[in-house]
Amino acid sequence: MRAFEGEIVMRFVLTALVYLSGLFCLFLGVGFLLDPTGSAAQLAVKPDGVAGLSTIRADFTGIFLVTGLAMLWGAWRRNGDLLLAPAVFYAVAFTGRAIDLAVNGAYPEYFRPMAVEAFWAVLLLAAWRVLPHHRIEEIAG
């Protein structure tokens, strides 16, 4: 009986963390939509003219709103399948940063975005495992 209670607590904690992470991503996405220059500066990104500003507003808003909505929807519906896309996105982002670290070396505070991306990738994959979901073969096939 205790093991079953532990599973319930683990599922609840993971679902709550995914939900909170989704809210945070939505907050970031709205920030990029309404104030792309200020939001980009917090991530050490500088727009190059109007086209750069447009790219920041469109791409960063899209990334954070879509991953945030997928996290919120997956947590709310207790549907692990909805967590796979943001999990893959953050795993790929982490991989890109790791490659950049190997190629270009470290910069001040390089570990922060890597830690966040790794945390979200692991969190989302863990939540996918404990929430109801389809097998990968069923999704990919």
Side-chain angles (χ1 to χ4, degrees):
M1 188 66 167
R2 291 298 252 177
F4 180 70
E5 291 172 2
E7 290 175 26
I8 292 173
V9 170
M10 177 63 80
R11 185 177 303 162
F12 177 78
V13 168
L14 288 173
T15 303
L17 287 172
V18 169
Y19 196 83
L20 291 172
S21 294
L23 285 175
F24 183 70
C25 284
L26 280 185
F27 177 75
L28 289 173
V30 169
F32 277 102
L33 181 65
L34 300 177
D35 181 21
T37 304
S39 296
Q42 292 177 358
L43 297 181
V45 176
K46 296 178 189 173
D48 185 14
V50 176
L53 188 61
S54 174
T55 299
I56 289 171
R57 177 173 274 136
D59 293 354
F60 282 84
T61 298
I63 287 165
F64 286 116
L65 285 183
V66 171
T67 59
L69 286 171
M71 288 182 209
L72 288 172
W73 192 13
W76 183 259
R77 300 288 309 222
R78 307 298 190 274
N79 183 341
D81 292 338
L82 296 168
L83 305 178
L84 282 180
V88 169
F89 172 80
Y90 288 111
V92 169
F94 176 84
T95 303
R97 288 193 193 272
I99 291 169
D100 187 72
L101 180 62
V103 171
N104 295 317
Y107 57 89
E109 305 292 323
Y110 76 92
F111 58 89
R112 281 191 191 186
M114 290 183 78
V116 170
E117 290 156 355
F119 171 76
W120 278 342
V122 170
L123 169 68
L124 292 166
L125 288 174
W128 173 76
R129 295 280 296 158
V130 301
L131 293 174
H133 64 278
H134 291 88
R135 293 180 21 202
I136 293 291
E137 296 81 21
E138 295 172 17
I139 295 171

